């Protein structure tokens, strides 16, 4: 009986892996392709190992050159398998993967090894069931195989930071089994363990990294969002053209039963997965993306556009038993409106919530790509401004009708560009809010405002308090009150000299945290204003619910008062109700003497606007207050 039991076990292992992998759709990731190539090479290697034993067993029957050829093909397959293992590993390291010279050198090294194996002599040992080959050809195989295996191991240590923990451990385990099997077989040639060791290594790799299930969303059954990131990233690396249809569903599918929600997700996934030549991914929450990549830009654009019409029509119908979803669509005919997967995902996430009221589809072109580039550039500008202290505070004086003095001011954030010019808030505030940098800006403005109050003794100049804006994210930060308390103590500013402005917002998710912060700060002595009253978000209930001292009428509300009879009636009634609540009122955006007189007659307490002053730098503001309050 031939000594091939161990090899047969390894061969069966490999066939089982091939079977399971073939049952799933391929994503098309580079690592996935190389693993599949490794699996085929290693399976062929085990088959050649078995074939070489049979050839040696029947060397009396077969021509010598046939025996030599089969045995050397087996040895070459070992080196080839080790080469692919190294290729699988260095594919994770970007600068190695993209270095054509390096890859060419590695390939040449493998070809040199194969050539030396073929030209070197080989001998055989055949005694009973013990069959193996030896000699210079086998030595060359060990040298080149171990060279690739050791290179693979070294790569996992040198470039450990570029691989996740599971990948490092799986590859090292794989190579450890390869080395252990090779060492045993080198010192005990009759123990033919190399093929079986390789099969075990591949099984570890499959279990840890390359099981197709890891690429899938467990609910929808299509590819996951993380797989989408990797796939799109590869498309940009390979400079491939593709188009994308993104289906944007409600964040929450309003169903009482979680099982019903899952059924709807599965039903949508199965429908969308029926389109040929497209890969389906589930993105954030309940969104899906169809990616068309057929190599020809015109073809994938045409097909995706045609499918989009079919998809839009289907989503007008019911899902599940009786669910009509509020679905909208993003269509990207050419993915190269941006240059990386990160930018693409930002384009998707930024536009996903920017649909107009009756808009159900948006086509994203170069302007969307330019928008994200400008957004990223502004993020860098803000970060650099914070690091280099280019965030400045401007102050807009607020006039008291009762005293005829400027008794307060609103502190406003500005950024001084590297060219010395001011970047206005309309450009950087929305970016700061979206990127999460608004808290750092708000804290910096608060700190500088406190310094200004202390250094210039604003109280003695007639300024009772300064208003400082709070962003939504600051309001939701449980540490806000303690942080601001520390800053006021550090700058030796009394809390009564600070009035914090909040804006009603539908995006405020943690109102209880805001109320806790407000109560703590008010107990210290800080006051609160409700800013932008009169805009779409504001209503009288907010004034009742929030412990504010001052209500600030938005500029648009003030302007409408003088041009719209209905707005005039509403504003008069609103002023009466707010005054009955014992609150003060500031009118913003007052620009003419006529408006000043009208506001005074209305009974409003304070006026803020360009009639008196635009926002001023700290130095100009101090000069303004000293001059105007002196009389």
């Amino acid at each position: 009986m031939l000594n091939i039991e161990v090899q047969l076990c390894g061969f069966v292992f490999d066939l089982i892996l091939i079977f399971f992998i073939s049952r799933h759709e391929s994503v098309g990731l580079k690592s996935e392709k190389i693993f599949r190539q490794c699996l085929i090479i290693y399976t062929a290697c085990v088959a050649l190992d078995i074939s070489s034993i049979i050839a040696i067993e029947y060397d009396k029957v077969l021509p010598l050159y046939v025996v030599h050829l089969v045995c050397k093909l087996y040895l070459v397959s070992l080196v080839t398998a080790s080469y692919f293992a190294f290729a699988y590993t260095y594919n994770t390291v970007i600068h190695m993967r993209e270095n054509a010279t390096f890859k060419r050198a590695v390939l040449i090294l493998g070809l040199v090894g194969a050539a030396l194996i073929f030209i070197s002599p080989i001998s055989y040992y055949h005694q009973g069931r013990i069959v193996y080959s030896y000699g210079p050809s086998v030595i060359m195989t060990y040298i080149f195989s171990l060279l690739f295996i050791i290179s693979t191991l070294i790569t996992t240590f040198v470039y450990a930071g570029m691989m996740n923990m599971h990948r490092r451990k799986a590859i090292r385990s794989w190579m450890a089994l390869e080395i252990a099997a090779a060492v045993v077989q080198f010192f005990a040639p009759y123990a033919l363990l190399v093929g079986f060791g390789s099969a075990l290594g591949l099984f570890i790799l499959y279990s840890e990294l390359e099981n197709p299930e890891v690429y899938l969303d467990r609910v929808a059954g299509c590819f996951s969002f993380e797989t989408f990131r990797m796939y799109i990233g590869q498309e940009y690396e390979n400079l491939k053209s593709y188009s994308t249809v993104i289906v944007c569903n409600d964040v929450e599918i309003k169903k009482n039963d979680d099982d019903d929600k899952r059924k709807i997700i599965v039903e949508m996934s199965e429908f969308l997965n029926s389109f040929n030549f497209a890969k389906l991914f589930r993105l954030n929450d309940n969104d899906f993306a169809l990616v068309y990549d057929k190599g020809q830009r015109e073809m994938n654009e045409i097909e995706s556009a045609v499918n989009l019409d079919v998809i839009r029509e289907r989503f007008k119908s019911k899902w599940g038993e009786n669910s009509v979803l509020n679905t909208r669509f993003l269509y990207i005919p050419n993915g190269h409106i941006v240059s990386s997967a990160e930018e693409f995902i930002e384009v998707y996430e930024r536009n996903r919530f920017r649909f107009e009221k009756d808009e159900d589809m948006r086509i994203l072109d170069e302007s969307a790509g330019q928008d994200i580039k400008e957004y990223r550039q502004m993020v860098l500008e803000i970060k650099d401004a914070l690091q280099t202290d280019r965030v400045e505070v401007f102050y807009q004086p607020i006039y008291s009708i009762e005293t005829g003095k400027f008794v307060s001011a609103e502190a406003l954030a500005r950024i001084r560009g590297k060219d010395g010019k001011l970047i206005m808030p309309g450009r950087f505030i929305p970016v700061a809010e979206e990127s999460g940098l608004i808290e750092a800006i708000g804290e910096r403005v608060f700190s500088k405002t406190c310094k200004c109050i202390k250094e210039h003794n604003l109280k003695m100049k007639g300024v009772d308090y300064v208003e400082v804006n709070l962003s939504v994210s600051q309001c939701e930060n449980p540490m806000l009150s303690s942080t601001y308390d520390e800053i006021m103590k550090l700058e030796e500013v009394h809390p009564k000299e600070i009035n914090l402005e909040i804006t009603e917002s539908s995006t405020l998710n943690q109102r209880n945290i805001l109320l806790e912060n407000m109560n703590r700060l008010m107990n210290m002595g800080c006051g609160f204003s409700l800013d932008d009253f009169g805009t779409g978000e504001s209503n009288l209930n907010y004034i009742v619910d929030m412990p504010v001292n001052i209500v600030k009428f938005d500029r648009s509300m003030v302007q409408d008062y003088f041009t719209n009879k209905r707005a005039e009636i509403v504003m008069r009634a609103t002023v009466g109700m707010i005054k009955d609540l014992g609150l003060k009122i500031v009118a913003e955006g007052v620009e003419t003497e006529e408006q000043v007189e009208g506001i005074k007659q209305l009974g409003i307490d304070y006026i803020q606007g360009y009639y008196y002053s635009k926002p001023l730098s700290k130095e100009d503001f101090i000069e303004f207050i000293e001059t105007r309050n002196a009389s």
Side-chain angles (χ1 to χ4, degrees):
M1 183 177 177
L2 297 175
N3 183 22
I4 57 173
E5 294 91 343
V6 177
Q7 290 91 329
L8 285 173
C9 288
F11 188 66
V12 170
F13 254 130
D14 290 342
L15 290 178
I16 291 172
L17 289 182
I18 290 173
F19 170 74
F20 280 116
I21 285 178
S22 64
R23 292 173 63 242
H24 293 275
E25 178 188 0
S26 169
V27 187
L29 299 175
K30 186 68 174 177
S31 64
E32 181 190 33
K33 290 178 181 177
I34 297 176
F35 176 76
R36 294 188 178 211
Q37 290 169 350
C38 282
L39 184 54
I40 292 170
I41 293 295
Y42 275 79
T43 305
C45 185
V46 178
L48 285 168
D49 190 8
I50 296 170
S51 300
S52 67
I53 293 172
I54 295 172
I56 295 172
E57 177 72 22
Y58 293 99
D59 61 346
K60 304 298 184 186
V61 179
L62 295 171
L64 186 60
Y65 74 87
V66 173
V67 178
H68 277 37
L69 179 63
V70 173
C71 290
K72 288 190 175 184
L73 282 173
Y74 163 59
L75 297 177
V76 168
S77 71
L78 288 173
V79 174
T80 305
S82 302
Y83 162 81
F84 271 92
F86 183 41
Y88 176 85
T89 305
Y90 74 63
N91 179 69
T92 308
V93 183
I94 294 176
H95 75 264
M96 294 175 75
R97 179 175 70 234
E98 296 180 349
N99 190 329
T101 303
F102 167 77
K103 293 195 292 184
R104 193 179 301 113
V106 173
L107 178 60
I108 290 172
L109 183 63
L111 293 174
V112 169
L116 290 174
I117 289 169
F118 269 111
I119 65 175
S120 299
I122 187 170
S123 302
Y124 315 108
Y125 179 87
H126 182 193
Q127 187 68 40
R129 295 184 71 248
I130 300 175
V131 177
Y132 59 86
S133 55
Y134 63 94
S137 188
V138 175
I139 297 298
M140 289 295 171
T141 303
Y142 275 107
I143 291 172
F144 282 91
S145 294
L146 285 174
L147 184 62
F148 284 125
I149 290 171
I150 292 170
S151 297
T152 300
L153 282 173
I154 290 173
T155 301
T156 66
F157 286 100
V158 173
Y159 299 102
M162 299 183 186
M163 304 179 190
N164 65 58
M165 179 180 64
H166 295 293
R167 184 169 294 276
R168 294 196 305 268
K169 287 184 176 180
I171 293 174
R172 288 170 189 171
S173 299
W174 179 24
M175 292 300 101
L177 282 169
E178 294 261 15
I179 291 172
V183 169
V184 171
Q185 191 163 321
F186 182 80
F187 290 104
Y190 52 84
L192 306 177
L193 297 175
V194 170
F196 184 71
S198 299
L200 282 180
L202 285 171
F203 184 76
I204 291 173
L205 210 61
Y206 173 84
S207 302
E208 292 283 332
L209 303 175
E210 299 299 341
N211 184 344
E213 295 285 343
V214 304
Y215 298 121
L216 300 180
D217 180 272
R218 292 187 177 275
V219 175
C222 59
F223 296 123
S224 66
F225 194 9
E226 185 56 35
T227 307
F228 177 76
R229 290 178 186 272
M230 293 188 290
Y231 180 78
I232 293 297
Q234 184 174 286
E235 296 292 274
Y236 285 107
E237 281 185 24
N238 296 333
L239 300 177
K240 287 188 176 180
S241 176
Y242 68 94
S243 60
T244 312
V245 173
I246 300 180
V247 179
C248 303
N249 289 303
D250 288 328
V251 174
E252 286 294 332
I253 296 176
K254 296 177 175 60
K255 299 294 289 182
N256 295 326
D257 191 338
D258 286 339
D259 287 339
D260 289 342
K261 294 179 185 177
R262 292 172 67 94
K263 288 177 183 177
I264 292 171
I265 293 295
V266 171
E267 187 179 352
M268 283 192 291
S269 176
E270 289 179 351
F271 166 71
L272 294 169
N273 215 13
S274 65
F275 293 95
N276 295 327
F277 305 111
K279 295 186 186 300
L280 179 64
F281 303 84
R282 185 183 180 190
L283 307 184
N284 283 333
D285 303 308
N286 304 314
D287 294 355
F288 290 88
L290 280 165
V291 180
Y292 295 79
D293 174 15
K294 293 173 60 179
Q296 298 180 21
R297 176 177 167 181
E298 294 79 9
M299 182 61 75
N300 63 42
E301 283 188 26
I302 292 170
E303 185 146 21
S304 57
V306 170
N307 289 349
L308 176 58
D309 290 337
V310 177
I311 294 167
R312 291 174 68 189
E313 194 62 33
R314 171 62 185 90
F315 272 79
K316 294 176 183 177
S317 305
K318 297 177 182 178
W319 297 93
E321 294 181 2
N322 194 27
S323 296
V324 178
L325 305 180
N326 180 29
T327 304
R328 296 173 173 183
F329 304 90
L330 295 174
Y331 177 48
I332 306 172
N334 181 10
H336 286 277
I337 58 172
V338 292
S339 55
S340 70
E342 291 74 19
E343 288 183 357
F344 184 93
I345 291 170
E346 285 183 38
V347 166
Y348 150 62
E349 291 177 339
R350 281 168 65 80
N351 285 276
R352 193 244 180 274
F353 296 103
R354 290 187 173 185
F355 288 100
E356 300 296 334
K357 184 176 181 181
D358 296 321
E359 184 182 21
D360 79 321
M361 187 186 78
R362 176 172 292 190
I363 298 176
L364 303 181
D365 54 17
E366 288 79 4
S367 61
Q370 184 61 32
D371 175 62
I372 200 65
K373 287 178 172 62
E374 291 174 358
Y375 167 82
R376 287 189 154 206
Q377 186 176 355
M378 183 55 68
V379 168
L380 294 175
E381 180 71 45
I382 295 170
K383 288 181 178 178
D384 187 70
L386 288 165
Q387 291 175 354
T388 58
D389 197 27
R390 290 189 287 110
V391 175
E392 299 181 10
V393 182
F394 275 47
Y395 300 88
Q396 187 169 31
I398 298 176
Y399 179 80
S400 168
I401 295 174
E402 180 182 355
T403 66
K405 302 284 186 179
F406 292 92
V407 298
S408 61
E410 181 177 357
L412 299 163
R414 299 290 187 269
I415 287 179
R416 183 74 61 179
K418 294 178 182 178
D419 58 0
K421 297 179 181 179
L422 282 176
I423 301 173
M424 301 309 289
R427 287 183 59 200
F428 71 83
I429 291 295
V431 174
E433 289 176 339
E434 191 170 344
S435 63
L437 294 168
I438 193 66
E439 286 195 61
I441 292 176
E443 191 172 315
R444 184 70 57 87
V445 168
F446 185 75
S447 178
K448 289 196 171 190
T449 300
C450 289
K451 284 181 185 293
C452 179
I453 293 171
K454 172 67 175 176
E455 289 176 2
H456 297 280
N457 199 0
L458 294 186
K459 189 76 172 176
M460 294 298 294
K461 291 179 171 59
V463 178
D464 297 328
Y465 60 87
V466 178
E467 298 186 342
V468 183
N469 288 280
L470 290 179
S471 66
V472 171
S473 58
Q474 284 179 291
C475 293
E476 293 181 329
N477 186 345
M479 300 301 295
L480 172 70
S481 55
S482 58
T483 300
Y484 275 27
D485 183 33
E486 289 177 10
I487 293 172
M488 287 186 287
K489 287 177 179 176
L490 178 66
E491 302 299 339
E492 299 179 341
V493 169
H494 196 285
K496 287 186 177 180
E497 297 179 84
I498 295 293
N499 196 84
L500 298 168
E501 293 188 7
I502 60 172
T503 304
E504 182 183 1
S505 173
S506 59
T507 61
L508 182 63
N509 298 315
Q510 301 291 337
R511 184 174 290 195
N512 59 321
I513 295 177
L514 168 61
L515 288 171
E516 288 174 9
N517 279 318
M518 290 180 72
N519 288 327
R520 291 195 196 104
L521 288 164
M522 289 178 73
N523 289 335
M524 295 174 199
C526 293
F528 276 86
S529 300
L530 177 61
D531 196 17
D532 294 338
F533 185 84
T535 61
E537 293 289 347
S538 66
N539 58 69
L540 289 170
N541 287 334
Y542 210 78
I543 298 176
V544 174
D545 294 339
M546 292 296 174
V548 296
N549 316 102
I550 298 171
V551 177
K552 301 189 73 173
F553 284 177
D554 182 71
R555 179 184 181 279
S556 61
M557 186 175 181
V558 172
Q559 296 298 320
D560 286 347
Y561 172 76
F562 294 99
T563 58
N564 186 313
K565 189 63 179 177
R566 288 190 175 186
E568 178 187 344
I569 296 170
V570 170
M571 189 161 165
R572 287 185 182 279
T574 303
V575 168
M577 286 187 286
I578 293 174
K579 296 299 259 180
D580 288 343
L581 290 170
L583 306 179
K584 300 289 187 179
I585 302 173
V586 177
E588 295 184 295
V590 177
E591 299 174 352
T592 66
E593 185 174 357
E594 178 189 359
Q595 290 176 348
V596 170
E597 293 305 317
I599 292 298
K600 287 180 179 179
Q601 293 173 15
L602 189 57
I604 285 175
D605 304 281
Y606 305 102
I607 299 175
Q608 177 181 350
Y610 273 36
Y611 176 78
Y612 290 111
S613 175
K614 65 180 180 179
L616 303 169
S617 66
K618 181 178 70 173
E619 293 76 15
D620 291 341
F621 170 68
I622 298 302
E623 182 181 350
F624 178 93
I625 291 296
E626 289 176 342
T627 303
R628 301 295 291 271
N629 279 359
S631 57

